[in-house]
Amino acid sequence: MKIFMLGWEFPPFISGGLGTACFGLTRGLDRVGVDITFVLPRPIENADAEHVRILSPASATAGRRAEVPYATIASEFKHVTIRGVDAALDPYARPSDEPSTHQTERRVAESPAIPAQPAPVSVLGNSPGSHYGGDMFAEIERYATLATNLVSHETFDVVHAHDWMTYLAGIEIARESRRPLVVHVHSTEFDRSGFHVNQRIYDIERAGMHAARRIIAVSYLTRNIILRHYGVDPRKVDVVYNAIDDDLEEQSRTELPPIARDDKIVLFLGRITMQKGPEYFLAAAKRVLEVMDNVRFVMAGSGDLVRRMIELAAEMGIGHKVLFTGFLRGDDVRRVFQMADLYVMPSVSEPFGIAPLEALTHDVPVLISKQSGVAEVLTHALKVDFWDVDEMANKIVAVLRHPPLQATLREHGSIEVQRFSWQDAATRCLQVYQTACGSA
Amino acid sequence: MASVCFYFQIHQPQRLRRFSIFEQDAEYFDAEANSAILRKIAAKCYLPANTVISELIEKHDGRFRVAFSLTGVFVEQCERYAPEVIDSFQQLAETGAVEFLAETYYHSLSFLYSRDEFVHQVQRHVELMQRLFGQTPIVFRNTELIYNNAIAKAAADLGYQTVLCEGADHLLGYRSPAYLYTAPGTDVKLLLKNYRLSDDIAFRFSSKSWADYPLTAEKFARWIGDVDGQGYVVNLFMDYETFGEHQWADTGIFDFLRQLPAAVLERRGNDFKTPSELSTYYPSSGEFDVPHMISWADTERDLSAWLGNAMQSNALHELYRLEPAIKESGDEQLLEDWRLLQTSDHFYYMSTKNLGDGTVHKYFNPYDSPYDSFINFMNVLDNLRGRLE
């Protein structure tokens, strides 16, 4: 089986769950012996410390730069070829009528002095406050053309496209190559927009789902949205849950020096955007602080609502108890997990939610929104409706006050999380591919 | 020949209402849910099953005999929500073919944490049985058949000469639960549950994947007959909710019950005896030494259903730690609330054993997860503690 995969971010440049999932799944597929040509939009050139380069072993992309950071990652793959496409796409960007959710705020928070870099295609993320503008959809179409151009050198059985920005490319490649298209839905416009749906994005998602022979949804929650809002035949939608990287588990065992502290720490880690429910986290924090004093709330992540949340915490009079760290990666993520007594994911709409699995691998108990895919499969977790702020606070207080609760959650949770293997997810994907080919 | 001994356990906890850390009101119990559940089970099980038992006693002219253990917490709720259930049990008591056993009033784990409290609860239960049924129980069964040598001694101290317990394989070895045994160092006779035959009715009756499905009265009577020559008693101990609730009426469980006594009595020498009758009639065949706690719960037959994780032991420990202060306070309502929190079900709901496939623990369990149950319980306990100040 050979797959032409239209994916996203690879380490170390991973800014969210989509990249984590694409990488984990690709590695799982590699291990079960599936050949993959992985098409990766080239990350935007900017002032980021890590100089991310695309490994492009095939001569088709000759002329690209030397590829240092990816080399180690790619060398462990036996069946994967990574092909870079020079397209400036950010999977977490929003169209021009909305502020860019991700890149912009990070620049503001971390490096306001960085001057804009000249960029050939798009200005995305290059200067504070920059937006996609009308370029977003043009860029998606350009990406589709570039990706399609790669196809002439390739033979494969299935085209696998991850999330809407790659769907147009997927449709085009499937049409030209006469191979079945599988679209993988990691999130929908309904999750991201809070039902203020952007019609153009919806149309692309819908076109991708209808053109696809099979659809992979990351949870039943997502499957239901696909069926309800996109008019898709339920028989062609499978659920494949996300998993957790084994390497991460090993990593987390290496001890970092302990951090001395008196206060309990409750952690929010994720993009600070509407979809992730940061304001519910703050509202719960306020309630917790009514009955407990020795607790701090850490909000780690970037996003379009960072400034609003800083203001909101101040308005609520709990500013001194809430810490904003900006976007964290690598050892900083491990460190913040190591400090945390509880990880909270109050998402308004979370198709899956890999971060709670990461927390569990770091021995941090989790409180997750019932409006998440991961809540379907995780039993050793506390669950709450994202809007039920009192109950969220009730559960936070319980974990902080009762060490046996924390210990039991941790003990069972760290065992349960080992059940989520990318190799199992890959095996399920392989079945989906086989079905897609079989029903041709 | 074999003597068949039926003992039915009847208990319903007072389930807690959702109690958040922000609650001020010291009302802990979910009257609405408790009432609804009790009425539902009364209609499906207690009333129809009592009718069947009553008919059978009459039909067989008192040769069909059974024993019940009704917890105080159950009786209180019946008096409040379904008094006709109590009337029905009183009518059964009047037949003279029904024995009532002693246990802790609150269906508690008090033996493990406070001997004073244990004694008080057993005595209170005995008074209740006297008041309702004009009987003074002479056979003791501890909550969930939790048992060890020390419990036999404690029961003996309270004047009981017969105690019920689980016929746990790992302790019986080659021996059979079809004999009576004595607790070491006491005169207390032990009646051991025949868990295979009991569970054939209680758990497997309607299981279509079971090789012996469907279970008929004739077949079951034949299995009882197999005891002949290797013992003389068949102790069928089970929850009364088996009839109509765990096994619904449409499984044929009531018809099975209706037909069983005739099928058993048809064989020469067979009879039905209540626990005290067995104890009087049959000798002990030796000592049954139980140094560690056993119970009738789950496959482990130990305490792990209530004390299997850190939350459970923490909750129990914190609860019993309040005993001296609660008793010193002289506040009757506080004492009563504290005792109602001792009901073992609260801790059973916190079990993390076999989560996902632990269907038994889900039965009328008001919580989505053991964690929610712990949090709720601890919030109530926190409020209770606050009332002491």
Side-chain angles (χ1 to χ4, degrees), chain A residues 29 38 70 75 87-88 92 128 134 142 185-186 218 225 240 263 284 291 326 329 376 392 431:
Chain A
L29 285 165
F38 193 99
Y70 279 153
S75 65
Y92 301 110
R142 215 180 62 82
V185 184
H186 296 267
V218 292
I225 292 174
V240 177
D263 284 350
V291 292
R329 62 183 64 183
E376 295 168 17
M392 202 183 294
Q431 288 163 357

Side-chain angles (χ1 to χ4, degrees), chain B residues 127-141:
Chain B
E127 285 160 22
L128 180 70
M129 294 301 107
Q130 288 167 335
R131 173 168 72 77
L132 289 179
F133 306 119
Q135 273 192 30
T136 301
I138 54 172
V139 173
F140 178 73
R141 63 80 69 181

Side-chain angles (χ1 to χ4, degrees), chain B residues 151-213:
Chain B
I151 286 181
K153 285 207 183 68
D157 290 347
L158 290 171
Y160 295 95
Q161 284 166 5
T162 313
V163 173
L164 271 47
C165 66
E166 174 66 45
D169 281 336
H170 66 283
L171 295 167
L172 275 170
Y174 65 91
R175 295 179 297 175
S176 160
Y179 296 97
L180 276 68
Y181 297 91
T182 317
T186 70
D187 296 327
V188 170
K189 276 189 185 162
L190 301 174
L191 305 185
L192 274 54
K193 177 182 153 193
N194 184 318
Y195 76 82
R196 285 191 187 85
L197 289 174
S198 300
D199 293 353
D200 284 342
I201 299 174
F203 300 136
R204 287 181 282 274
F205 181 79
S206 62
S207 165
K208 290 189 173 140
S209 57
W210 181 34
D212 286 300
Y213 180 87

